[in-house]
Amino acid sequence: MPISVAMKRQEADYIKALTAFSKPARGLCEVTWAGDEHYDYAWAADAEVWFGCMDLTEAAVFMLDMAEASLETHMRQKVAFLGLFDQVKRFIDARHDLRGSDLATLIVTVFQNGGTLSNNRRKRYAERVQPDVLDAIEDAVRRAMRGQALDDTEQD
């Protein structure tokens, strides 16, 4: 999950963190409209001191929390996929003779496509991979996605 998604999910906290910084900063600047799209800005005398020692703690803590949420979600998903990949690869390798790069691509493709292999992808591999092997990969990925064991005694 990207950090921006985590931030959107915590929008109220995001606004609070921004406001903790921006509200005091806005109080140090007087903006006067000068016509059309022209404005005049006048900073308070102590603005330079405030900017030199402003407290960004709330914003920094919020960003760290969002980075951790993003990383934790991403890492969990990645670890789950790698476990599925390894399980399917070992299962297929034990039963079929297939080039490793083809198998890896097919596992990823089936996973990304929700457990199915498109007809176009089947045609692309038709010369190198038998249809029953493509079916076996598709079935193994689908079963692994459902959390089922991949052994010969397990039936759908």
Side-chain angles (χ1 to χ4, degrees):
M1 162 178 66
I3 290 177
S4 59
V5 172
M7 291 170 68
K8 180 64 177 168
R9 290 180 179 171
Q10 302 293 324
E11 193 168 354
D13 291 338
Y14 174 60
I15 299 298
K16 183 180 172 194
L18 286 178
T19 304
F21 161 77
S22 64
K23 191 172 183 178
R26 282 193 313 264
L28 296 170
C29 182
E30 185 176 319
V31 180
T32 307
W33 181 64
D36 296 325
E37 295 180 16
H38 303 285
Y39 297 89
D40 184 41
Y41 301 91
W43 290 99
D46 59 344
E48 188 174 321
V49 173
W50 184 84
F51 279 107
C53 61
M54 62 187 154
D55 184 5
L56 297 175
T57 303
E58 194 164 344
V61 168
F62 176 78
M63 287 306 298
L64 178 60
D65 289 346
M66 295 303 97
E68 285 177 337
S70 177
L71 182 60
E72 185 176 309
T73 300
H74 177 73
M75 292 304 289
R76 264 198 236 125
Q77 291 170 345
K78 193 62 98 174
V79 166
F81 171 74
L82 290 174
L84 177 143
F85 181 92
D86 187 53
Q87 181 183 14
V88 172
K89 184 178 181 321
R90 281 187 278 118
F91 179 80
I92 298 297
D93 277 342
R95 288 155 182 80
H96 304 282
D97 185 22
L98 186 62
R99 193 167 80 186
S101 60
D102 286 345
L103 179 56
T105 300
L106 287 164
I107 293 170
V108 170
T109 301
V110 171
F111 177 80
Q112 289 175 339
N113 203 33
T116 60
L117 189 61
S118 70
N119 287 334
N120 285 340
R121 198 57 79 142
R122 283 180 178 275
K123 288 176 189 173
R124 184 179 302 168
Y125 284 90
E127 291 183 23
R128 295 192 310 266
V129 182
Q130 296 296 316
D132 65 312
V133 177
L134 294 174
D135 291 342
I137 295 167
E138 190 176 56
D139 182 60
V141 171
R142 196 177 306 126
R143 288 168 50 198
M145 289 173 72
R146 291 192 299 245
Q148 294 177 330
L150 298 183
D151 60 31
D152 290 331
T153 62
E154 191 75 30
Q155 299 295 320
D156 277 340

